[in-house]
Amino acid sequence: MRMRRLFKDRLAGRTMLVLAGVPALLVLLMLAGLIAKARPILSQKPFFSLLFSADWGPSRGAFGLLPFVAGTLYVTAVALVLAVPISLLSAVFLSEYAPRRVREFARPAVDLLAGLPSVIYGVWGVLLVVPFVSRIAAPAFGAHTTGFSVLAASIVLAIMIFPTIISVSLEVFSSIPYELREASLSLGATKWETVRYVVMKKGAQGIVAAVVLGLSRAFGETMAVLMVVGNIPRLPGSLFDGGSTLPTLIANNYGEMMSIPLYDSALMLAALVLLLVVFIFNILARLILVRIRRMSA
């Protein structure tokens, strides 16, 4: 009987080990598949010459990815600059200051925003954000634009990642023991000092995780960005210029004009670059989390 139980325990442990390794295996399979598909173009042109070339003209055999890499980083960075402060302050207000009725109303609304399809955000961006950029934001800075621009895509993307950062941050703040807040207040700290030096410091790891989740969604967003960014394969000179991103490049062109030599391989290379960029940023986020953990220890 005892031997049978030990056998079952070992079998269960090994089964869970195999199942836990499936996600990592899937990532490796994706990476291997993209590398295999990108090999035709990589065998003719060096990777870094493609990555840092701004010349995109498939009919001429030019497949420079720099405009799309720069557009992806540009749109994502501006979206994070817009989204992170507002999201964190919203989470702090709902967690520490808001009356119970406001909190009970806001949480379902945030969850609803998180569940909306991206095409809804895209339509909303075309109807409201694009006219705002073309008629108000651009003239205020002396610029002229159709509204389909990096700024419009960044605003839509920032609104899309609000719910992710707010929801995770709320969970982080609610997990912090209330006794820590009481101890800080009993020592004479104000409410804001308690939030700043106790709640925010204690929840720093969770806040970084929330931002990383928002960053991951921002990097891969396709439909909403495609509808408002302008889809112009060139380096954006300002926030009011049109641009394109790696996901919109793939969504716009895959399945079309595949008779052009190396076109399919170039799109697979773009997908590979996107995967590598997300992977690198996740590693950097892990390093930041480790550093925060050591500082708070």
Side-chain angles (χ1 to χ4, degrees):
M1 182 66 72
R2 185 171 180 273
M3 293 296 295
R4 184 180 297 176
R5 281 167 32 195
L6 289 175
F7 173 76
K8 289 182 178 179
D9 286 343
R10 289 174 183 172
L11 180 62
R14 290 175 182 176
T15 302
M16 286 186 285
L17 177 62
V18 171
L19 294 177
V22 168
L25 180 61
L26 288 175
V27 173
L28 292 177
L29 289 175
M30 291 179 190
L31 185 62
L34 291 175
I35 291 174
K37 285 288 188 178
R39 282 188 66 184
I41 193 170
L42 292 175
S43 64
Q44 297 190 20
K45 299 180 181 181
F47 173 74
F48 288 103
S49 68
L50 292 168
L51 185 63
F52 294 108
S53 172
D55 186 15
W56 177 264
S59 60
R60 297 182 283 104
F63 297 100
L65 297 177
L66 184 60
F68 308 103
V69 175
T72 302
L73 296 176
Y74 207 173
V75 169
T76 303
V78 176
L80 285 178
V81 169
L82 295 174
V84 171
I86 297 175
S87 299
L88 290 182
L89 290 176
S90 299
V92 168
F93 171 75
L94 292 174
S95 174
E96 308 297 324
Y97 292 93
R100 183 177 178 180
R101 289 184 179 179
V102 175
R103 192 181 302 115
E104 290 178 350
F105 170 79
R107 285 210 172 195
V110 170
D111 293 337
L112 176 63
L113 286 175
L116 287 178
S118 59
V119 69
I120 301 297
Y121 287 99
V123 171
W124 175 81
V126 171
L127 294 177
L128 294 178
V129 178
V130 169
F132 166 77
V133 172
S134 63
R135 299 173 188 173
I136 300 175
F141 289 90
H144 299 281
T145 179
T146 60
F148 294 93
S149 59
V150 170
L151 180 59
S154 300
I155 293 174
V156 172
L157 201 54
I159 294 171
M160 289 186 70
I161 63 178
F162 279 162
T164 301
I165 301 178
I166 292 174
S167 296
V168 177
S169 298
L170 281 174
E171 293 298 326
V172 171
F173 294 152
S174 63
S175 67
I176 297 174
Y178 192 73
E179 289 78 7
L180 292 177
R181 298 175 175 84
E182 291 182 331
S184 176
L185 294 171
S186 66
L187 291 174
T190 63
K191 183 73 171 179
W192 171 243
E193 288 173 339
T194 300
V195 170
R196 182 178 177 184
Y197 295 109
V198 177
V199 177
M200 298 287 284
K201 186 175 180 179
K202 189 69 175 176
Q205 295 182 35
I207 292 171
V208 172
V211 174
V212 171
L213 286 173
L215 177 69
S216 298
R217 176 167 188 186
F219 264 122
E221 182 52 46
T222 304
M223 185 54 65
V225 175
L226 184 149
M227 296 174 70
V228 298
V229 76
N231 302 305
I232 302 174
R234 69 182 182 195
L235 288 170
S238 71
L239 289 174
F240 303 109
D241 290 341
S244 189
T245 64
L246 290 170
T248 60
L249 167 68
I250 299 168
N252 264 331
N253 298 286
Y254 196 76
E256 299 180 7
M257 301 172 66
M258 289 296 107
S259 59
I260 297 177
L262 300 179
Y263 202 165
D264 177 66
S265 182
L267 294 180
M268 292 302 98
L269 179 62
L272 176 62
V273 171
L274 181 62
L275 179 62
L276 292 176
V277 169
V278 174
F279 183 69
I280 290 171
F281 271 93
N282 275 276
I283 290 177
L284 293 176
R286 294 282 182 181
L287 294 175
I288 293 172
L289 285 171
V290 170
R291 186 172 182 83
I292 292 175
R293 192 177 295 116
R294 288 177 179 174
M295 292 174 63
S296 60

